Amino acid sequence: MGQYFGKQYRLLKTDDFSSVFALRRQSSLSFVQVLHSPDNRLGHARLGLVVSKKVAKRAHERNYMKRVIREWFRLNCCELQSYDFIVRVRQRFDQSESAQVRLQLSQLMRRL
């Protein structure tokens, strides 16, 4: 994938999100919940993010959490199966806990 997180690696449309939510295949740990759909027939994994205002009131906090997850996905997507993933943040985290979040993402996404 290289250094770029292009549109082909993102879930952008409501229908894409809805199909993953409809299947309800999920795993979760303390910080994140991962929902996934089986093979998307594209040959690569795609990522969708959900960070609600209930988790973090301020936009810069939500943006930081999304940035950490996108960066982990960008670096590890070639090792993942060609699924559609939605990562939902369950609990607010900051820089001191970002390493733990990356570890949880590894555990959840590679286990599928």
Side-chain angles (χ1 to χ4, degrees):
M1 182 165 138
Q3 299 297 321
Y4 184 65
F5 183 57
K7 282 190 177 184
Q8 71 265 24
Y9 296 102
R10 302 179 198 171
L11 292 177
L12 297 172
K13 297 181 180 177
T14 304
D15 292 340
D16 295 337
F17 275 86
S18 297
S19 65
V20 177
F21 280 122
L23 293 172
R24 305 296 291 167
R25 294 181 181 173
Q26 61 187 358
S27 303
S28 62
L29 290 171
S30 61
F31 287 106
V32 292
Q33 176 185 30
V34 175
L35 295 96
H36 71 281
S37 67
D39 190 14
N40 61 16
R41 298 186 188 117
L42 296 173
H44 57 80
R46 295 191 302 173
L47 177 69
L49 295 169
V50 177
V51 184
S52 70
K53 286 185 180 180
K54 287 184 180 181
V55 171
K57 299 282 186 223
R58 299 190 177 257
H60 68 90
E61 294 171 343
R62 294 191 303 274
N63 291 340
Y64 174 76
M65 290 184 267
K66 289 185 222 178
R67 205 164 41 246
V68 167
I69 295 167
R70 276 194 306 264
E71 181 67 10
W72 181 91
F73 183 81
R74 186 183 66 80
L75 294 173
N76 295 283
C77 78
C78 58
E79 300 168 12
L80 300 173
Q81 297 179 4
S82 58
Y83 288 174
D84 288 340
F85 294 100
I86 294 179
V87 177
R88 178 185 286 167
V89 176
R90 298 178 66 202
Q91 181 181 341
R92 184 185 168 281
F93 62 88
D94 55 15
Q95 291 178 346
S96 64
E97 299 159 326
S98 64
Q100 188 176 358
V101 171
R102 290 183 188 101
L103 179 64
Q104 287 186 8
L105 284 169
S106 294
Q107 291 171 348
L108 292 171
M109 289 184 148
R110 291 190 178 138
R111 179 175 24 179
L112 304 174

